Amino acid sequence: MSQNLSRELRYSKAAVRSKHGVVAAQNQKAADIGAEVLRAGGNAIDAAVAVSFSLGVLEPWMSGIGGGGFMVVYDAAKKTSHVIDYGMISASGLNPADYPLTGGVAGDLFGWPAVLEDRNIVGYHSIAIPGVVDGMRLALETFGTRSWAESLAPAVALAERGMENDWFLTLHVANAAADLARFPSSKAVFLPGGMPPAPEFEGFLKNDALHASLKRLAAAGARDYYDGELARSLVRDLQAGGSKITAADFSGYRARMVEPLRYDYHGKTLLLPPGLTAGPSLRDALEAAGPKLDRKGLTAQSYLAYAEGLTQAYEKRLAGMGDADNGKSCTSHFCVIDKHGNMAAVTQTLLSGFGSRVMLPESGVLMNNGIMWFDPRPGTPNSIGAAKRPLSNMLPTLVMDQDKPWLAIGASGGRRIMPAVMQLLSFLIDYGMELEAAFHQPRLDASIIGQPFLDPLLPEDVRKAVKARFPQAVEKRRDPLPLSYACPSAVQIESDGNRVGMTEIAQPWAGMAGA
C-alpha cells in the first residue's frame, strides 16, 4: 500500500431510485443510454442490449463485439428465468502444439506456465471466436421489444463521435501502451502521436472503422457478423495475422440458452450461471461460510467466515475446474430492472485489458484473448484445445424473494468477482443492509489462496482476526487503479416498489440512471 496516499481519502456514491426502472453500469453514459431506452418504453432486455453495444464503444478495453459473456434474465410476464451463454470458443483448427511451454511463469493475468512468445496472451494466436453479437441477438429476439437497428443506434452514434478522453481513459491506455504499440491499428486509435492521450486533452479518440462496422451490423443484422460481409472481413484479418479461426468457425457459432443454477440461501433463491463459470463456486463459498456467520452482527467472526469459505471454494475450483486466474482481467458488468420487474444481469469481457491488444484493421474490432483462459499444460480439466469453451470467472446473478424478483448483481474483476458478489449478497440477505450501505461496507478479497486482501477501513479487530488465521494477509486500499477488489453493480426492488441501483464507489466512471 503506497505511503504517498492519504489515509483519510474516502469514496462515496448515492444510490439512484425510480419507480420506472434503473440501470447500473461501469460507465455513466452507458447507464444513461439504458435508462433512456426504459423511458421510451423498452423493457430491461432492450436496455441491456443497448448498454452492451454502447459499452463496447465507451470502454472498449473492457468488452465489446470482439468478446463474450453471460446474461441472466428474469421474464416477469412468464415468471421464468434463463441464462444466455455467449462465451468465447476456441478455433476448431487450434493445435495445442502451437503453444509450447518455455519454462517460467507468464507475466499477465494467470499463473500459467509461460508459452512461446506469449501466444496465449497477446496477438492473433490468443483470439477465440467472439460471442457478444449473437448473444445480444438471442436476448433481443427472445425477450426484447425493439428492433435490432434501434438497439444499436446509440452505439453507432457514440462510435461516430469517438471515445471521450479524460484522466481515467489515459490511465487505462498507458497501462497497455507497450502492447498496443505492437499492432498498427491499435496504435493508431489509442496512441495518437505514439503516446497515450494527455489527460488534459479535451477531445475524442476516433475509430472510424468500428463506426462503419457498427453501421453495417445495424443495417444487415446480427448474423452478418458470423455469416456475411462483416464475417468475411473479420476472418481475412484474423488469418492474415496467423489465427486458426476460419469462416466455418464464425458461421457455426451460436449463443445458447441454458437453465440457471438455482441455489436457496437463507430465504432467497439465487439464479446463477452454471457450468464453466463462477456460479458453482459461489454456491460452495456460501455453503461453507453461511453456518459460521455471526448472526448477531457483522463482526470479525463473520469476515473470518467469508475468508475461510472463499478459500475452501477456490481450493475446490482450482483442483477440479482448472482456473488459476490471479484477478487482473478487464470485464464489464451491468444490471437493469424495469417497471414490470424484468431483470437482466450481464457480464461480458475481452478477458485482459484491451484483450489480445489486436484491433482488426478492416473492421476496427478490438479482439479478445480468450485462449488465455485455458491452461497451457496438457491433460488438465481446462487445457488448451480445439472448439472448447474455457473456464471463466463471470458471475451475473439474479435473486428471487419467494418467487418475486428482488435483486440483480454481478461484478467485473476476474477472480475477485466471486468474493465481492458473495459478500454483498451476505450483507443484503444475512444482515439486512440497504443496497447503498452494502456497497459502502468494506470488503476483503480471498481469491489468492492463503493471502487475503483486507481493506484498511475494516475494523482493527477484523484485520487482526483474519491476519491471525492467514498470516500472509495484506492490506490493500480500495482504489480505482490498481484494482485490488472487484467492481460490482446491482439493482434491486425495495419494499415500497422503488427500483434502486448502485455501482462500485471507487470507480469514477461507474454510475446509475433511473428511468
Side-chain angles (χ1 to χ4, degrees):
M1 187 168 65
S2 172
Q3 296 180 1
N4 297 320
L5 294 168
S6 169
R7 289 186 295 273
E8 307 309 317
L9 178 63
R10 300 289 188 273
Y11 299 105
S12 181
K13 288 181 182 176
V16 167
R17 287 176 170 82
S18 171
K19 291 282 188 183
H20 305 290
V22 172
V23 182
Q26 282 183 204
N27 180 282
Q28 181 64 65
K29 178 63 175 175
D32 292 341
I33 286 169
E36 179 56 37
V37 171
L38 296 180
R39 285 193 290 270
N43 67 18
I45 291 77
D46 296 320
V49 173
V51 171
S52 170
F53 284 108
S54 297
L55 282 170
V57 178
L58 292 163
E59 49 171 31
W61 49 87
M62 293 288 191
S63 68
I65 62 173
F70 290 84
M71 177 189 293
V72 188
V73 176
Y74 177 72
D75 184 334
K78 296 181 178 179
K79 298 183 179 180
T80 58
S81 56
H82 308 270
V83 174
I84 298 176
D85 175 354
Y86 52 100
M88 295 170 267
I89 303 175
S90 61
S92 60
L94 181 146
N95 185 354
D98 290 337
Y99 302 85
L101 304 181
T102 61
V105 178
D108 208 279
L109 308 185
F110 295 78
W112 302 137
V115 168
L116 179 67
E117 300 168 351
D118 283 338
R119 291 178 181 177
N120 59 329
I121 297 174
V122 179
Y124 287 85
H125 287 90
S126 71
I127 299 170
I129 305 157
V132 162
V133 174
D134 205 57
M136 293 303 108
R137 174 201 61 79
L138 182 57
L140 194 66
E141 289 178 358
T142 309
F143 304 106
T145 67
R146 288 159 61 95
S147 72
W148 179 255
E150 281 181 296
S151 299
L152 267 73
V156 171
L158 288 170
E160 182 176 21
R161 183 201 72 172
M163 293 172 283
E164 185 176 6
N165 185 61
D166 62 20
W167 64 269
F168 199 51
L169 183 148
T170 297
L171 280 176
H172 280 286
V173 172
N175 277 347
D179 283 333
L180 292 171
R182 296 170 51 183
F183 304 100
S185 296
S186 305
K187 181 179 180 181
V189 170
F190 293 110
L191 302 172
M195 298 289 288
E200 62 268 19
F201 166 64
E202 295 182 358
F204 299 89
L205 300 184
K206 293 292 191 74
N207 183 349
D208 293 332
L210 179 62
H211 176 230
S213 294
L214 289 171
K215 283 183 66 177
R216 166 77 194 179
L217 193 60
R223 289 304 302 180
D224 191 71
Y225 188 93
Y226 297 94
D227 301 313
E229 180 181 313
L230 187 51
R232 290 187 285 274
S233 166
L234 296 169
V235 172
R236 276 196 302 271
D237 279 345
L238 285 166
Q239 294 187 345
S243 171
K244 294 291 180 68
I245 295 175
T246 65
D249 288 330
F250 266 83
S251 64
Y253 185 91
R254 291 292 189 281
R256 60 186 185 179
M257 195 96 70
V258 297
E259 287 298 306
L261 171 64
R262 303 178 72 91
Y263 173 55
D264 292 329
Y265 179 75
H266 296 179
K268 301 290 192 293
T269 299
L270 277 55
L271 305 175
L272 307 169
L276 298 176
T277 70
S281 297
L282 174 65
R283 177 194 57 196
D284 292 342
L286 287 170
E287 284 188 344
K292 300 178 181 179
L293 295 175
D294 186 343
R295 308 300 294 183
K296 296 179 181 178
L298 190 54
T299 63
Q301 176 183 324
S302 301
Y303 278 98
L304 193 56
Y306 295 149
E308 291 177 341
L310 287 163
T311 298
Q312 290 179 40
Y314 276 114
E315 287 174 343
K316 179 178 178 180
R317 181 178 178 88
L318 297 181
M321 300 178 79
D323 174 28
D325 173 11
N326 72 7
K328 298 179 183 176
S329 63
C330 286
T331 303
S332 287
H333 178 82
F334 59 94
C335 298
V336 187
I337 190 166
D338 64 26
K339 63 183 179 182
H340 305 293
N342 298 299
M343 295 193 300
V346 186
T347 309
Q348 52 194 43
T349 188
L350 295 181
L351 187 45
S352 290
F354 296 88
S356 63
R357 288 73 154 183
V358 172
M359 181 176 288
L360 299 182
E362 288 187 26
S363 63
V365 176
L366 193 62
M367 298 299 286
N368 68 81
N369 61 339
I371 300 303
M372 192 175 62
W373 259 321
F374 293 107
D375 188 338
R377 298 169 297 184
T380 72
N382 192 38
S383 292
I384 291 178
K388 286 182 66 175
R389 294 176 183 267
L391 181 66
S392 83
N393 293 287
M394 290 183 277
L395 186 56
T397 299
L398 301 184
V399 182
M400 308 295 290
D401 183 4
Q402 298 184 9
D403 295 325
K404 294 181 179 179
W406 186 63
L407 178 76
I409 192 169
S412 65
R415 235 178 115 185
R416 293 158 299 193
I417 291 172
M418 198 260 285
V421 173
M422 180 257 213
Q423 288 169 87
L424 285 165
L425 287 171
S426 181
F427 296 163
L428 295 164
I429 296 171
D430 293 314
Y431 297 105
M433 289 188 184
E434 292 189 354
L435 195 63
E436 183 175 318
F439 270 67
H440 285 81
Q441 181 68 27
R443 304 190 302 268
L444 55 76
D445 181 89
S447 59
I448 300 176
I449 293 177
Q451 189 181 67
F453 289 175
L454 303 174
D455 188 329
L457 296 182
L458 285 166
E460 184 178 1
D461 66 322
V462 171
R463 287 178 280 134
K464 283 184 175 179
V466 176
K467 288 177 180 178
R469 172 66 177 80
F470 299 94
Q472 296 184 45
V474 294
E475 295 190 13
K476 294 278 189 178
R477 288 174 54 96
R478 190 172 169 182
D479 288 318
L481 283 175
L483 193 64
S484 298
Y485 303 89
C487 179
S489 61
V491 294
Q492 184 183 28
I493 300 180
E494 296 182 310
S495 58
D496 62 0
N498 259 329
R499 278 66 171 141
V500 58
M502 273 297 296
T503 57
E504 170 55 37
I505 61 172
Q507 289 298 306
W509 279 11
M512 307 76 72

